Amino acid sequence: MNKSIIILVFIFLSTLAFGQKFQKVIIENIDGSIKTGFLNGKSLSDSKEIKFKTTEDSKVEPILKSSVKSIDFYSANGKIYHIDNILLTNEKKTKTTSEWMLKLISGYYDLFIIANYSFDKEGNLTLSTNYLVGKDLPEFYYFIKKPTEKFADIFALYSPSPTYFGLHKILKDNVIKFMSDDKTLVDKVEKKKLSTKNIEQIVKEYNEFKKSNGAE
């Protein structure tokens, strides 16, 4: 992944915002152990540790970010938001970092997004756009990763701004790079029948294509 993308990820991750102080979670650690309790969502913006409680009234227990594989956040109505601790690296693999990413799709390729996450008082998650330093163009970053792979790759950027140019080329280049065996899908993207407004649909269609051809 491009070094400049990693730098941009660092910049906007520092602005992560969570509205609710503590909410119900299930944490899966790297070693396979499970913790059930309550998490201070704001602590996800900390690069080293998260703040956890086994009960709402217990003392805060810091947990090292490096020990966590994933976190499931539960809203009051039982909706689950799955956030993984995902590894990123630059193209030469000389620098590695891990970032919290919301999983959108599971399959041959898992699809993730990095954005500003905020929870309301019921624990419902809202995604908001990020802003580059010195610019006024909002953007979402999407990553893909096979379940068996160690690192995630940048797949697409989306912005609601009509003046943010070049995003379709990024998407098209990566569809060709990662999904070239699905000629029909590539053709749809090249002809802009599917665009950056259809990122989830593109990954779903490709996952279905692989499944129909015997790949899980």
Side-chain angles (χ1 to χ4, degrees), residues 55-151:
T55 69
E56 290 184 279
D57 299 322
S58 61
K59 292 183 179 180
V60 172
E61 173 191 341
I63 298 177
L64 289 176
K65 177 183 180 182
S66 59
S67 70
V68 177
K69 180 181 178 182
S70 65
I71 304 172
D72 285 334
F73 285 84
Y74 288 78
S75 68
N77 61 10
K79 189 167 184 179
I80 303 171
Y81 302 99
H82 184 85
I83 294 179
D84 281 294
N85 190 11
I86 300 292
L87 288 173
L88 300 174
T89 187
N90 57 16
E91 290 178 352
K92 295 183 179 179
K93 296 195 168 44
T94 56
K95 189 171 184 177
T96 300
T97 184
S98 66
E99 308 298 347
W100 300 111
M101 296 190 190
L102 177 68
K103 182 183 281 189
L104 301 175
I105 293 172
S106 297
Y108 182 84
Y109 280 125
D110 293 337
L111 177 67
F112 302 88
I113 189 171
I114 294 181
N116 290 328
Y117 316 127
S118 60
F119 292 98
D120 63 21
K121 63 181 181 179
E122 299 297 322
N124 298 305
L125 177 63
T126 298
L127 299 177
S128 57
T129 56
N130 297 289
Y131 290 83
L132 285 172
V133 172
K135 296 186 179 181
D136 59 356
L137 301 178
E139 58 190 358
F140 291 107
Y141 281 67
Y142 290 83
F143 294 80
I144 57 171
K145 186 180 79 68
K146 294 178 183 177
T148 56
E149 290 179 333
K150 186 176 181 181
F151 297 100

Side-chain angles (χ1 to χ4, degrees), residues 155-157 164-177 189-190 192 194-196:
F155 182 66
L157 280 73
Y164 200 134
F165 302 112
L167 298 187
H168 188 80
K169 184 180 186 308
I170 295 171
L171 173 65
K172 182 184 71 174
D173 289 350
N174 284 324
V175 168
I176 293 171
K177 179 179 179 180
V189 174
E190 287 183 329
K192 295 187 176 182
L194 293 174
S195 68
T196 55

